[in-house]
Amino acid sequence: MSETRLAFRTCPLCEAGCGLEIAVQTSPLQVINKTESIGRIRGDMDDVFSHGFICPKGSTLKQLHEDPDRLRKPLIKRNGVHVEVEWDEAWAEVAGRLQDLIERHGRDAVAVYLGNPNAHSLSAMLYNRTLLQGLGTHNRFSASTVDQLPKQVAAGYMFGTGVHVAVPDLDRTDFLMILGANPYASNGSVCTAPDFPGRIEAIKTRGGTVVVVDPRFTRTAQEADTWLAIRPASDALFLMAVVNVLFAENLVKIQDRIAVLLNGLEDIRQACQRFTPEAVSDATGLDPQAIRQVARDMSAASSAAVYGRIGTTTTEFGTTASWLVDVVNTLTGNLDSVGGAMFAKPVLGGPTTRGTSGKGSGFRIGRGGGKTKVNGYPEVMGEYPAAALAEEITDVSESGIKALITVAGNPVLSTPHSHQLSSALEQLELMISVDIYLNETTRHADIILPSPSQLQRDHYDVLLLQFAIRNVANYSPAVLPLDDGQPDEWEILAKLGLIAQGFGPDVDPAQADDLAIDGLVRHSVGDP
Ligand code: SF4
């Protein structure tokens, strides 16, 4: 007779972090074989954050785990064809080729690309540090530069670090203005909130107002009280006009405890003077009266929050627009205020919970004079724009990139200049990918090291709870055991980092534990 046990896990597939209830079944034959299979996956009704919400993606962890195309063994490219090998052979190949390349070209000849799933992985959040330190390269790229760094740069300059992001207090706000985001499709981003759409609907149910500013009549716009069909990339002008109205009509109402921390108030009052609603009307495509009404309504609301996402950050003035989002939150008295834009205080620690208030090293870009070689783009938060990766590889100078390590990323599919990048990858002397699929990017890799499936990993959202609208902590143990011989994800990343440091293929990845834990502790208690 079959047996069923229930396992609980936070969904790792998007930033919402919904709780899942997973039925794990054991048939009589499986009892003999000591194996289990996944049955039904549904929302965990007792999850304190998601209350049973689940989207169609969440239930596909079963299909992802069972997918015959998911890699279970390492692959090495031999004569242009990927062949399955055992882990010992893969590590020997990694050690031999990586060390040889570093000795011939230096550490900056190896670039790293970290894909979006790293932000959803406990192992990656703890052990990518080991990998990057082991490699010692400045050539770091990630998915963040494709769509969100302007928000983080603005947060860094305003609040001290790039993860000091204020998120809308969806559950208590009376007025929400959404710019360039469609949470009915995305479930939210750089704002962790399971059932984001349900929380928007709750604002309306309790008599609040939702305004969507978006060139497209998105699903979210359809649900809003007001849709402002702004011209693409003009969000900064619109927000500057809102600031203009707030000053011109004496609607600024900064809280005392925030006022003592502000600088530049007079500068922004001066700067906004020429950006009247009439002056920006043509560029934004918005009726000046509509802009005035938004400013008045926000100021009059007992609480209000502006939330800007991808449409505001993938534009020429993305950093300015992101800064203005929090300027408006501040001027209307809604920064760090109930129902306004607030900062999470994650249990694991982060910039909002560690260090001494008012102290810190501050935020800057281009540290150490860091710039890309071909077009001189500055370093931001330790990395360079993914859009520049292809040209940095095809740069023929002796100091150019000769090898690439990708971790859970498919930049050929998801970053700009994808055809150029696909061709550039063919020029590399060595490419190593940590990935569970052979895809548009990893097909170029010489060696592919697969992590276990999501259900075979434990989980805690180290990063995303920094952007959560409630202070929660959910640790999930792995639902299923590892396959025989399969290293855990942290072991793969740690071993790769140790091999890059010069340890041989037989190095025990546990050696990296001290380094990882030391880094975590220092990160949790030091000044940002
Ligand atoms: S909304 Fe995101 S976290 Fe929630 S079930 Fe869907 S994919 Fe998973």
Side-chain angles (χ1 to χ4, degrees):
M1 192 168 144
S2 293
E3 292 174 12
T4 300
R5 67 178 172 91
L6 293 181
F8 298 90
R9 194 205 198 288
T10 303
C11 178
L13 297 181
C14 89
E15 296 177 41
C18 302
L20 304 178
E21 180 193 281
I22 302 171
V24 186
Q25 297 167 335
T26 315
S27 68
L29 184 61
Q30 286 174 314
V31 170
I32 297 167
N33 294 337
K34 295 187 177 163
T35 58
E36 295 177 308
S37 56
I38 299 297
R40 182 207 59 227
I41 297 180
R42 66 181 184 184
D44 175 8
M45 299 303 290
D46 293 328
D47 186 283
V48 295
F49 200 18
S50 58
H51 307 290
F53 177 81
I54 187 174
C55 84
K57 270 199 303 184
S59 63
T60 61
L61 285 176
K62 169 184 166 68
Q63 285 75 13
L64 194 57
H65 176 73
E66 295 170 354
D67 186 354
D69 288 340
R70 180 172 65 81
L71 301 180
R72 271 92 170 159
K73 288 278 176 80
L75 301 181
I76 294 180
K77 198 181 264 182
R78 303 254 189 245
N79 299 318
V81 178
H82 282 107
V83 294
E84 213 171 81
V85 299
E86 295 300 326
W87 280 94
D88 285 350
E89 186 177 348
W91 286 124
E93 184 92 1
V94 168
R97 296 187 63 178
L98 186 57
Q99 270 310 311
D100 170 61
L101 187 131
I102 290 172
E103 278 166 23
R104 284 188 292 113
H105 297 295
R107 295 194 170 273
D108 279 339
V110 185
V112 182
Y113 176 85
L114 304 178
N116 171 283
N118 287 282
H120 306 255
S121 160
L122 176 57
S123 292
M125 290 309 298
L126 299 186
Y127 289 90
N128 272 344
R129 188 190 302 264
T130 308
L131 172 60
L132 293 171
Q133 286 175 345
L135 285 166
T137 177
H138 293 96
N139 281 314
R140 302 175 182 182
F141 301 82
S142 88
S144 298
T145 52
V146 177
D147 72 337
Q148 75 187 49
L149 274 198
K151 180 72 190 171
Q152 296 191 270
V153 170
Y157 282 124
M158 278 187 100
F159 306 124
T161 80
V163 286
H164 254 107
V165 174
V167 294
D169 185 4
L170 296 177
D171 295 342
R172 296 180 288 187
T173 195
D174 296 309
F175 185 104
L176 177 66
M177 181 158 70
I178 301 173
L179 289 94
N182 185 11
Y184 273 77
S186 70
N187 285 303
S189 178
V190 196
C191 176
T192 297
D195 192 14
F196 205 128
R199 293 173 200 265
I200 289 175
E201 279 151 28
I203 295 171
K204 294 174 30 174
T205 302
R206 60 178 180 264
T209 302
V210 177
V211 175
V212 169
V213 184
D214 201 301
R216 293 176 57 234
F217 190 48
T218 62
R219 176 83 173 81
T220 306
Q222 290 168 36
E223 297 297 328
D225 297 287
T226 303
W227 169 50
L228 299 180
I230 193 169
R231 287 195 206 286
S234 64
D235 306 272
L237 289 172
F238 163 69
L239 289 166
M240 202 58 158
V242 170
V243 171
N244 174 288
V245 176
L246 292 173
F247 278 110
E249 300 189 8
N250 286 324
L251 301 175
V252 172
K253 48 178 192 179
I254 303 167
Q255 308 156 76
D256 290 345
R257 67 186 174 84
I258 300 294
V260 296
L261 301 171
L262 279 186
N263 55 32
L265 189 61
E266 181 55 24
D267 292 338
I268 181 75
R269 195 183 68 76
Q270 295 289 339
C272 75
Q273 284 195 356
R274 66 192 174 100
F275 295 94
T276 62
E278 286 73 20
V280 306
S281 181
D282 279 354
T284 60
L286 297 177
D287 177 357
Q289 198 49 37
I291 299 174
R292 284 205 163 78
Q293 197 58 50
V294 164
R296 290 168 188 161
D297 289 349
M298 263 199 86
S299 181
S302 49
S303 64
V306 187
Y307 167 62
R309 196 45 197 101
I310 189 165
T312 61
T313 51
T314 53
T315 68
E316 186 177 358
F317 295 101
T319 307
T320 309
S322 298
W323 166 66
L324 284 165
V325 164
D326 284 323
V327 169
V328 173
N329 282 326
T330 304
L331 296 180
T332 54
N334 289 297
L335 182 69
D336 197 28
S337 175
V338 169
M342 301 187 75
F343 299 95
K345 292 184 174 173
V347 171
L348 187 64
T352 50
T353 60
R354 67 190 155 98
T356 309
S357 183
K359 285 192 171 177
S361 53
F363 183 84
R364 58 192 186 281
I365 63 174
R367 287 176 298 181
K371 286 188 183 340
T372 59
K373 290 192 175 54
V374 177
N375 273 305
Y377 299 126
E379 167 273 352
V380 177
M381 296 179 70
E383 59 184 279
Y384 297 117
L389 178 56
E391 65 190 27
E392 291 294 293
I393 292 172
T394 52
D395 172 27
V396 292
S397 72
E398 182 48 36
S399 58
I401 293 170
K402 306 288 188 295
L404 175 67
I405 295 178
T406 67
V407 182
N410 189 356
V412 169
L413 192 68
S414 59
T415 64
H417 311 312
S418 53
H419 289 298
Q420 190 188 354
L421 180 59
S422 187
S423 305
L425 296 184
E426 285 300 300
Q427 295 186 23
L428 292 167
E429 287 185 32
L430 174 65
M431 180 170 163
I432 300 169
S433 292
V434 178
D435 210 291
I436 58 174
Y437 280 105
L438 192 55
N439 58 33
E440 293 82 352
T441 298
T442 61
R443 72 187 178 87
H444 297 281
D446 299 287
I447 307 160
I448 306 176
L449 308 169
S451 299
S453 92
Q454 299 284 5
L455 292 175
Q456 294 171 308
R457 309 180 201 172
D458 58 356
H459 184 84
Y460 184 84
D461 277 315
V462 173
L463 175 66
L464 301 177
L465 291 174
Q466 180 71 52
F467 309 133
I469 61 160
R470 302 263 76 85
N471 294 323
V472 295
N474 276 342
Y475 170 76
S476 320
V479 174
L480 295 173
L482 295 170
D483 297 337
D484 283 346
Q486 166 72 53
D488 207 338
E489 186 180 31
W490 74 266
E491 293 176 295
I492 297 170
L493 298 171
K495 190 158 180 166
L496 202 46
L498 290 168
I499 288 174
Q501 276 188 55
F503 293 90
D506 300 323
V507 64
D508 181 355
Q511 281 190 32
D513 255 357
D514 285 348
L515 199 63
I517 291 169
D518 178 61
L520 187 65
V521 171
R522 276 191 288 111
H523 179 77
S524 299
V525 300
D527 279 327

